[in-house]
Amino acid sequence: MAISNVTDQNFTQETNEGLVLADFWAPWCGPCKMIAPVLEELDQDMGDKVKIVKVDVDENQETAGKFGVMSIPTLLVIKNGEVVDKAVGYQPKEALAELLNKHA
């Protein structure tokens, strides 16, 4: 499954089913750029188990505000529309895989 960009308009629709990792990021954020290839690898490894979506906080402030995102990158683990876990800042692939496997 490819990583998709979601917006305020389609966030709920894109995250209401199954296991989703939502990456709240911004183009000017250094750690966000560092985590992007990690998310690509994770998508290749776990794409059948988890859907990965990216939310640009500058363009989608409503969604970022709804989840209280204060620093980026913030990664929310969402299962069937409910936030079940969260990680803030750069995370290595192993840590993210472990986080997701807890809820798979």
Side-chain angles (χ1 to χ4, degrees):
M1 205 181 254
I3 295 175
S4 53
N5 289 298
V6 297
T7 63
D8 287 342
Q9 289 71 35
N10 69 355
F11 183 86
T12 303
Q13 178 187 342
E14 293 289 329
T15 60
N16 66 354
E17 220 175 276
L19 190 62
V20 181
L21 180 64
D23 172 28
F24 287 82
W25 72 289
W28 46 263
C29 162
C32 299
K33 289 177 187 165
M34 287 169 47
I35 206 167
V38 173
L39 295 175
E40 292 287 345
E41 281 183 40
L42 204 60
D43 184 53
Q44 288 176 354
D45 294 352
M46 301 181 71
D48 55 333
K49 283 191 234 165
V50 66
K51 175 179 182 179
I52 300 176
V53 299
K54 294 177 77 73
V55 183
D56 182 332
V57 295
D58 290 340
E59 294 176 8
N60 302 286
Q61 295 176 355
E62 186 182 312
T63 302
K66 177 179 164 189
F67 291 102
V69 173
M70 293 304 205
S71 40
I72 52 173
T74 290
L75 299 144
L76 298 180
V77 180
I78 301 167
K79 190 167 189 175
N80 299 324
E82 296 292 318
V83 175
V84 292
D85 224 327
K86 176 180 179 174
V88 178
Y90 175 83
Q91 304 289 321
K93 186 173 108 177
E94 296 74 25
L96 289 174
E98 197 176 304
L99 190 70
L100 290 165
N101 283 325
K102 277 198 302 193
H103 304 286

